[in-house]
Amino acid sequence: MSSERVGLMAGRKRSIRFKIFAILLVPLTALAVIWGFAATLTVQSGLELLKIQTVYDNVVVPTRTLLGDIQQERLLSAAYLGRKSSVRDELDAQRKRTDASVEELARVSQNAQDETPPAMWQRIEELIGQVRKFDALRGRVDDHGLSRLEAIEDYSAVAEVGFQAYDRLMISPDMDLIEQTKAIILIGRSREVMSQESALITGVLAIGRISPDERDAFAKMVGQRRLLYQLGTSQLDAELIKGFAAVNASPAYASFMSMENEIMVGVQPNTRLPRDADVWHTTTEGLVATFSQISGDGSKAIADRALPLAKGALYRIGIAGALGLIAVIATLFISVRFARGLTTELVGLRRAAHELADRRLPAIVQRLRRGEDVDVVAETPPIVTRGDTAEVVEVGNAFTSVQHTAVEAAVGQAELRKGVGNVFLNLARRSQSLLQRQLALLDELEQQVPDPDTMEKLFAVDHLTTRMRRHAEGLIILSGAHPGRGWRNPVSLFDVARAAVEEVEDYLRVSVVVPQGPAVIGGSVTDLVHLLAELVENATIFSPPHTQVIVRGEVVARGFAVEIEDRGLGISPEELAQLNERLADPPEFDLADSDRLGLFVVGLLARRHGVRVSLRSSPYGGTSAVVLLPKEIVVENAGDEHSVERLIPPRPPAPPVLALTPPAADAAVDTSADPAGDSLPRRVRQENLAPQLREEPRDVFGSFQAGWQRAQEES
């Protein structure tokens, strides 16, 4: 998985507290929204009921007044067009009243603009605008430029705008109020048609005859009036129908109905009407005024009904809002309380899990690595969780079981490692003992055998035995113990380097360039020889057989530095970094990782003595290992050759390819000697041979090479 994707996955992680809050937020938000929506609808309903009274006082009443003035001006205009000049003064006065009414409507309606429905307000503005343009219509009336019927139609068109404003008065959500308001509006329209009839007949009576168009228009008006009136009164409730029922039973309404029938049925076009103008005008205008009064009273009654409804709605709003708010708060309190309790339980469980994973288990593992005994029962107390959530308690019990199993497994693993280490140590000690005896036996044979060829073979076996001893010591180091060999006095670093080279199979390819003066304290000699031998052998293995491996040493500011350089293929930067990390901080030994045993042993030995080992690329393409010995283990050699212990075993003498700086490099010391002694016995090659068996050094070296090659072929 790429690092970018891991980063994205980590960025999407959320805490338990956040997720619980998100879970609770959804229903709480939905509940709050529903409560708010219901409260808003109820409040809006109450406010709309309260608007009715404001709209009635500031819009409906002045509009009804203006429509009455328009109807009266229409009536007088029709009479004036009927050649009845006596109404001129009355017509002019009515025009002034109409103008005053429209300005009053324009003024007072501003008080209710916000409460008036937009469609109704638009019709009111249109009505005001058209009335203000009556000058053109009035001029045509004054000049007799249009017929009576045309004048009635023009005035009626403007009045229609006012009634359309009434149609858009439906601002109440109460269905009963809506139905009663519609009924009053229908009756108002029928009253408007009655006014049109009055204007038409008044104009006709001025000249005494009715034209065919006027008769047809009158018949249409009668049918329309009766239909609207019947529809309106049929929808009124018992309270509002009382006034209209009284009118219906009155002699005036019966006389009006009779005159309508006489004009529609008994009067032919271009004939005189059966009654005079005074009777018609008195009867019709009286009924128009009566209907106007009753309709106004009905409108007022409807507006008055809205007030208690509004108060009741607001009262219900208060109760519902309070109960809803209490429910929301209670739900929020209970949810938050349970969420907080659950969060506390989960956080406590998480804290216990982190305590187990980050502190207790690592501490137990460290104790096991140090070899301490661990009581599984005492180290795995049950994880106690606060709260009573069954699932959390079960998870806590599961964690308790997991920690017991983990500690038990760690103890078992430690015991297994300890057992394997003991097996390694036992086998290594046995092998070391046998190899020491074998080396002692080889020393005796080397002193007794006079044959050069046999001597060379013994030297080869001796060299193999020395390498086997190093591997046995490696097992001892891996088991955590110390090798049996040790020295009391400081040993020259030159001899330490040569001893390390002598323990490598392909030692003939190694050149040693180390100064004679510096020495290392006795307690670090064995481990340092082993450390250098592992690095030198690694250099010879991973470099071509025809190349040289150089071991250099010099004094530096922080101690003594030894560099082992090969001419191999080198190591990639990534692998080099991993190896240096393992050398600086050796991990716990893994039985499955057997390919890097040498470097693991080097890391352990370096950590034991405070030595720093690092790998780097060589300018020749290979790899260089730099070993920095701290000042604490490096001393200055006193210069007395006999006071410094020699580590070079009595193996085949170093060939000429070895760059041996000191002249005494050929001197050899027996490592099976007593380490507690101040000096080791010195032995010279061919010292015990008969003179005739001794060979020249160069011939001996040739024989050694031949024997070495045979030993390699046999192995």
Side-chain angles (χ1 to χ4, degrees):
M1 184 181 295
S2 64
S3 59
E4 293 81 4
R5 184 172 181 181
V6 172
L8 290 175
M9 291 178 65
R12 290 195 294 266
K13 292 180 179 178
R14 295 291 186 270
S15 65
I16 295 174
R17 191 184 306 274
F18 176 84
K19 291 184 177 180
I20 293 178
F21 176 76
I23 292 173
L24 295 176
L25 182 62
V26 174
L28 286 176
T29 303
L31 180 61
V33 169
I34 292 173
W35 172 78
F37 180 72
T40 302
L41 289 180
T42 310
V43 170
Q44 185 177 2
S45 176
L47 294 177
E48 288 177 351
L49 288 171
L50 292 177
K51 290 179 183 179
I52 293 179
Q53 188 65 43
T54 303
V55 174
Y56 177 80
D57 294 336
N58 296 276
V59 178
V60 174
V61 172
T63 300
R64 186 172 66 235
T65 301
L66 176 60
L67 290 177
D69 289 333
I70 294 175
Q71 292 170 351
Q72 187 63 25
E73 183 176 340
R74 177 179 58 194
L75 175 67
L76 295 175
S77 298
Y80 180 77
L81 290 173
R83 306 299 178 179
K84 191 176 182 180
S85 58
S86 60
V87 299
R88 178 65 195 190
D89 294 337
E90 189 178 355
L91 176 60
D92 292 338
Q94 181 58 46
R95 288 177 177 176
K96 292 180 180 179
R97 287 193 294 270
T98 302
D99 293 340
S101 296
V102 72
E103 296 303 327
E104 179 67 12
L105 174 61
R107 183 182 64 83
V108 299
S109 62
Q110 296 295 326
N111 300 328
Q113 180 177 359
D114 296 335
E115 290 79 7
T116 305
M120 182 179 182
W121 181 259
Q122 182 179 0
R123 291 298 185 272
I124 294 297
E125 288 186 328
E126 183 179 352
L127 174 63
I128 294 173
Q130 291 193 16
V131 173
R132 285 175 174 174
K133 297 178 181 180
F134 267 2
D135 290 343
L137 176 60
R138 290 168 178 172
R140 295 175 63 192
V141 171
D142 293 342
D143 297 337
H144 291 80
L146 72 171
S147 65
R148 296 185 301 272
L149 189 57
E150 290 174 343
I152 292 174
E153 290 177 352
D154 289 345
Y155 277 102
S156 298
V158 176
E160 175 63 21
V161 177
F163 284 98
Q164 289 179 1
Y166 286 159
D167 292 338
R168 288 154 179 80
L169 181 61
M170 311 305 177
I171 59 176
S172 171
D174 187 88
M175 295 304 298
D176 183 64
L177 290 181
I178 293 175
E179 185 177 358
Q180 298 305 305
T181 302
K182 285 184 176 181
I184 293 296
I185 292 174
L186 289 174
I187 295 175
R189 284 185 171 275
S190 70
R191 179 173 53 84
E192 159 64 12
V193 178
M194 181 183 291
S195 178
Q196 294 177 14
E197 292 179 26
S198 177
L200 177 60
I201 298 304
T202 299
V204 170
L205 290 175
I207 60 176
R209 297 181 183 278
I210 186 170
S211 67
D213 293 337
E214 290 173 337
R215 183 180 178 281
D216 293 339
F218 181 82
K220 183 178 179 181
M221 290 176 185
V222 172
Q224 185 179 5
R225 185 199 67 79
R226 292 180 179 180
L227 175 62
L228 291 173
Y229 185 74
Q230 194 275 331
L231 290 175
T233 55
S234 64
Q235 298 178 17
L236 292 177
D237 58 24
E239 180 183 356
L240 297 179
I241 196 61
K242 291 179 181 179
F244 296 102
V247 172
N248 293 340
S250 65
Y253 187 72
S255 176
F256 175 77
M257 291 283 290
S258 176
M259 287 189 293
E260 282 184 333
N261 293 331
E262 289 178 0
I263 296 174
M264 284 192 305
V265 178
V267 177
Q268 296 299 321
N270 297 320
T271 61
R272 296 185 63 84
L273 295 180
R275 302 193 184 188
D276 58 15
D278 292 335
V279 176
W280 172 261
H281 178 76
T282 301
T283 303
T284 305
E285 291 303 312
L287 285 176
V288 169
T290 301
F291 279 122
S292 178
Q293 180 64 37
I294 297 175
S295 298
D297 294 341
S299 300
K300 184 65 170 61
I302 292 174
D304 292 339
R305 289 182 184 181
L307 185 59
L309 290 176
K311 292 181 178 179
L314 294 177
Y315 178 75
R316 292 192 300 272
I317 290 170
I319 296 177
L323 293 177
L325 184 61
I326 292 173
V328 171
I329 294 175
T331 304
L332 180 63
F333 174 77
I334 296 173
S335 301
V336 170
R337 182 177 179 182
F338 278 101
R340 181 177 297 175
L342 181 59
T343 301
T344 302
E345 295 180 33
L346 294 176
V347 170
L349 185 62
R350 181 189 64 180
R351 187 180 299 111
H354 281 303
E355 175 76 10
L356 173 65
D358 298 338
R359 191 184 67 83
R360 291 172 55 194
L361 283 182
I364 293 173
V365 172
Q366 290 296 330
R367 290 172 55 191
L368 291 174
R369 288 179 178 176
R370 293 194 297 267
E372 300 179 13
D373 294 330
V374 174
D375 187 355
V376 177
V377 177
E379 296 297 337
T380 57
I383 296 179
V384 180
T385 58
R386 297 181 180 179
D388 55 356
T389 304
E391 289 77 6
V392 176
V393 174
E394 291 177 1
V395 173
N397 295 335
F399 270 116
T400 301
S401 177
V402 167
Q403 74 164 349
H404 185 276
T405 303
V407 173
E408 192 175 40
V411 172
Q413 187 71 14
E415 292 177 352
L416 177 61
R417 290 177 181 274
K418 186 183 295 184
V420 173
N422 290 334
V423 171
F424 283 171
L425 181 60
N426 194 341
L427 293 176
R429 292 295 188 194
R430 292 181 182 183
S431 299
Q432 187 183 38
S433 176
L434 294 175
L435 291 172
Q436 289 294 104
R437 292 170 58 188
Q438 182 174 336
L439 287 173
L441 181 61
L442 287 174
D443 286 341
E444 294 178 3
L445 292 176
E446 288 171 358
Q447 295 177 5
Q448 297 174 6
V449 174
D451 181 53
D453 293 336
T454 304
M455 180 66 72
E456 299 299 332
K457 294 179 180 180
L458 289 176
F459 280 152
V461 175
D462 195 302
H463 186 71
L464 291 175
T465 304
T466 302
R467 291 173 54 218
M468 293 172 64
R469 182 182 62 182
R470 176 166 62 84
H471 292 317
E473 290 178 352
L475 292 177
I476 295 175
I477 295 170
L478 290 176
S479 65
H482 292 267
R485 297 189 298 160
W487 280 261
R488 182 182 63 189
N489 296 330
V491 178
S492 169
L493 280 167
F494 173 78
D495 292 333
V496 170
R498 288 199 59 194
V501 173
E502 290 291 339
E503 294 189 1
V504 176
E505 177 181 4
D506 206 1
Y507 69 95
L508 296 176
R509 294 170 47 206
V510 183
S511 297
V512 180
V513 184
V514 177
Q516 185 67 29
V520 67
I521 61 176
S524 302
V525 171
T526 301
D527 290 343
L528 186 58
V529 170
H530 197 131
L531 184 150
L532 294 176
E534 293 289 351
L535 293 175
V536 171
E537 184 172 61
N538 191 69
T540 58
I541 291 175
F542 291 99
S543 61
H546 63 276
T547 60
Q548 286 281 307
V549 175
I550 310 243
V551 180
R552 302 185 184 90
E554 60 179 335
V555 178
V556 294
R558 296 186 179 181
F560 192 88
V562 180
E563 181 180 11
I564 299 98
E565 181 186 50
D566 63 54
R567 306 293 174 89
L569 298 177
I571 305 176
S572 65
E574 294 79 11
E575 186 178 2
L576 203 62
Q578 295 178 0
L579 294 178
N580 282 325
E581 183 179 357
R582 298 186 62 176
L583 289 172
D585 185 17
E588 186 177 0
F589 176 62
D590 187 2
L591 295 175
D593 189 8
S594 59
D595 295 336
R596 301 289 184 179
L597 288 180
L599 289 179
F600 186 77
V601 171
V602 169
L604 293 178
L605 295 176
R607 183 171 60 185
R608 181 181 297 175
H609 298 281
V611 176
R612 291 180 56 187
V613 180
S614 60
L615 303 178
R616 64 183 183 183
S617 298
S618 169
Y620 299 97
T623 304
S624 294
V626 179
V627 181
L628 179 60
L629 308 179
K631 292 181 179 180
E632 290 77 11
I633 65 173
V634 177
V635 297
E636 186 66 27
N637 192 356
D640 185 2
E641 185 177 356
H642 296 285
S643 64
V644 180
E645 298 183 3
R646 302 289 184 173
L647 300 182
I648 308 302
R651 309 295 171 253
V657 297
L658 289 174
L660 305 180
T661 303
D666 290 335
V669 180
D670 188 0
T671 59
S672 60
D674 183 11
D678 293 338
S679 62
L680 298 177
R682 301 171 61 86
R683 184 168 60 188
V684 181
R685 175 173 168 78
Q686 298 185 3
E687 182 179 13
N688 298 323
L689 295 179
Q692 63 271 21
L693 297 177
R694 293 179 182 178
E695 299 178 358
E696 293 297 328
R698 183 169 300 178
D699 294 335
V700 172
F701 177 69
S703 299
F704 171 73
Q705 282 186 324
W708 179 255
Q709 292 176 356
R710 287 196 301 272
Q712 285 183 329
E713 292 173 356
E714 293 174 358
S715 61

